[in-house]
């Protein structure tokens, strides 16, 4: 039996100097070739989806490469990306959701959850 593995990971976008969460996902995504990368609910997060792999070693190499590409895209903008569960210095405003119809609906219907959704994860 062949095992197939993949991962979806979310990254916070931070100001490089202050370490504070910033709505810089669009700027970072604009510097990346998109396959695998996309916006998340908050404009301060980037999502990445790996390919499907038949070994953990190949998955690890794919993840490491994605993190390098994100860093290379964010650094020239004075930004950093972090694969962290939460960001302790986060300040969101109700205007921070990504302007996508799906995310706008989520923000409108679940305002408080949307405003406080600062969790990034890997699954």
């Amino acid at each position: 039996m062949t095992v197939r593995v993949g991962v979806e990971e979310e990254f916070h976008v931070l100001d490089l100097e202050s370490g504070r969460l910033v709505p810089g996902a669009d700027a970072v995504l604009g510097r990346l070739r998109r396959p695998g990368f996309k916006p998340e609910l908050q404009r301060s997060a980037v999502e990445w989806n790996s390919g499907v792999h038949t070994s953990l070693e190949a998955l690890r190499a794919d993840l490491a490469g994605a993190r390098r590409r994100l860093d290379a895209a964010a650094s020239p903008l004075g930004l950093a990306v972090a694969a962290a569960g939460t960001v302790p210095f986060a300040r969101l405003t109700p205007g921070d959701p990504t302007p996508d119809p799906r995310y706008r609906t989520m923000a409108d219907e679940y305002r408080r959850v949307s405003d406080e959704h600062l969790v990034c994860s890997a699954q």
Side-chain angles (χ1 to χ4, degrees), residues 2 16 23 29 69 80 85 95 110 117:
T2 302
L16 195 56
L29 288 167
R69 289 191 304 279
Y110 307 102
H117 178 77

Side-chain angles (χ1 to χ4, degrees), residues 21-117:
L21 194 62
V22 294
D26 286 342
V28 173
L29 288 167
R31 296 179 51 86
L32 290 164
R33 282 179 265 161
R34 284 293 182 105
F37 295 99
K38 65 181 193 173
E40 243 305 332
L41 171 62
Q42 298 295 342
R43 291 184 302 142
S44 56
V46 173
E47 179 179 307
W48 173 74
N49 293 283
S50 75
V52 176
H53 301 282
T54 57
S55 73
L56 291 177
E57 293 81 16
L59 178 60
R60 182 187 178 287
D62 196 8
L63 176 57
R67 289 179 175 187
R68 282 192 297 275
R69 289 191 304 279
L70 275 171
D71 181 59
S75 294
L77 301 171
L79 303 173
V81 290
T86 61
V87 176
F89 304 117
R91 289 185 194 163
L92 283 183
T93 63
D96 280 349
T98 297
D100 175 276
R102 175 177 171 241
Y103 293 131
R104 287 286 174 209
T105 299
M106 290 170 66
D108 291 343
E109 292 185 19
Y110 307 102
R111 170 55 56 198
R112 185 166 182 177
V113 173
S114 171
D115 288 348
E116 296 175 357
H117 178 77

Side-chain angles (χ1 to χ4, degrees), residues 7-28:
V7 69
E8 173 187 303
E9 187 164 27
E10 298 159 4
F11 299 88
H12 293 291
V13 180
L14 311 171
D15 177 80
L16 195 56
E17 287 188 31
S18 70
R20 292 199 180 274
L21 194 62
V22 294
D26 286 342
V28 173

